[in-house]
Amino acid sequence: MEVKNRIILALDVKTMERAFEVADAVSDYINTIKVGYPLALAEGLESISMIKEEFSSKIIADFKVADIPETNRKIADLTFEAGADAIIVHGFVGADSVTACMESADEHDKEVFLLTEMSHPGASAFLQPAAEHIAEMGVELGIKNYVAPATKINRLETIRNIVGKNAFIISPGVGAQGGETSSTLDFADAAIVGRSIYLSHDPKNTAKGIVDGIKL
Ligand code: C5P
């Protein structure tokens, strides 16, 4: 996936009005938007196509899909039919559940991102011990796209070493959760930034500052 300026906006706002304001403000710098449960539950799945059509952006649906294969398949089908370019899928549920999403993605000519490990402190209890196995499973399944944390650079590096240099890693946790853009981009292809931008009093300049910082 081509991500302009290597930055993805996590648009975790709860109204379309605010979503449009923020997406519009950053549109010179960011063309890939992650839509998750806050916006999709508040405004419906059509929030995906509305943003996509208005800003010609790519949409990654962060639904952290984690169900049995049959249900995963339905979730992925609905998400792709709503216009998402990619969906984020949990790996801990196992190969069959992940494969169901991959089959949906293939059928719709869309992409799957495999979530290996999360960025928050609580992830160290259960997910971190499994993360390397999850990444290995992704490689065995032929998955190209991964999500790994910006808050734990050594973990991000470990995941990169497992999935290889040709894999595409996106990394959340930059800014509000404490991760830094430049060290994250040493190992990830793109950084995901949410609150630092959408809670900023000037999202446009904040996005510009982040992008300018990458170019230094
Ligand atoms: O506001 P902030 O920049 O912390 O947003 C990070 C985004 O990335 C949120 O949408 C969060 O749900 C998501 N995310 C994460 N850690 C993961 C996977 C997704 O923080 N491992």
Side-chain angles (χ1 to χ4, degrees):
M1 179 177 278
E2 283 284 320
V3 174
K4 185 176 183 178
N5 289 322
R6 302 178 72 191
I7 298 292
I8 297 166
L9 172 65
L11 198 48
D12 295 327
V13 297
K14 294 194 279 188
T15 66
M16 262 338 275
E17 188 187 359
R18 186 64 187 147
F20 268 46
E21 279 171 9
V22 177
D24 186 40
V26 305
S27 59
D28 287 345
Y29 307 102
I30 294 175
N31 77 346
T32 308
I33 295 179
K34 186 171 81 63
V35 171
Y37 287 118
L39 188 59
L41 291 177
E43 297 281 15
L45 266 186
E46 56 272 25
S47 54
I48 290 175
S49 57
M50 288 169 76
I51 294 168
K52 200 172 163 57
E53 279 160 28
E54 185 71 19
F55 302 102
S56 302
S57 38
K58 282 173 215 150
I59 304 287
I60 300 173
D62 186 0
F63 293 157
K64 295 187 177 69
V65 186
D67 215 311
I68 62 169
E70 293 75 10
T71 308
N72 269 13
R73 173 71 201 225
K74 289 173 193 160
I75 295 167
D77 285 347
L78 288 164
T79 304
F80 293 135
E81 283 154 20
D85 298 281
I87 192 168
I88 295 177
V89 175
H90 259 304
F92 72 82
V93 279
D96 50 356
S97 291
V98 174
T99 300
C101 295
M102 293 170 70
E103 288 169 357
S104 174
D106 284 348
E107 210 165 278
H108 292 87
D109 199 19
K110 309 280 184 164
E111 297 185 50
V112 162
F113 279 83
L114 184 68
L115 177 45
T116 57
E117 182 170 338
M118 294 180 73
S119 53
H120 63 305
S124 58
F126 303 113
L127 205 45
Q128 185 172 311
E132 291 166 43
H133 299 298
I134 292 170
E136 284 160 6
M137 177 189 74
V139 173
E140 280 164 25
L141 291 174
I143 292 179
K144 184 170 166 277
N145 303 312
Y146 295 86
V147 185
T151 46
K152 305 162 189 167
I153 293 297
N154 63 326
R155 300 295 307 154
L156 175 57
E157 182 178 12
T158 298
I159 301 296
R160 168 60 78 190
N161 288 337
I162 293 170
V163 299
K165 63 177 176 18
N166 293 328
F168 191 81
I169 301 181
I170 61 174
S171 189
V174 167
Q177 294 184 60
E180 289 175 359
T181 315
S182 55
S183 53
T184 298
L185 292 178
D186 285 343
F187 301 105
D189 297 280
I192 299 168
V193 187
R195 284 165 290 174
S196 297
I197 292 177
Y198 69 75
L199 292 182
S200 145
H201 69 276
D202 187 349
K204 178 174 185 167
N205 261 317
T206 303
K208 180 180 186 307
I210 293 168
V211 169
D212 287 349
I214 297 169
K215 287 176 182 155
L216 285 177

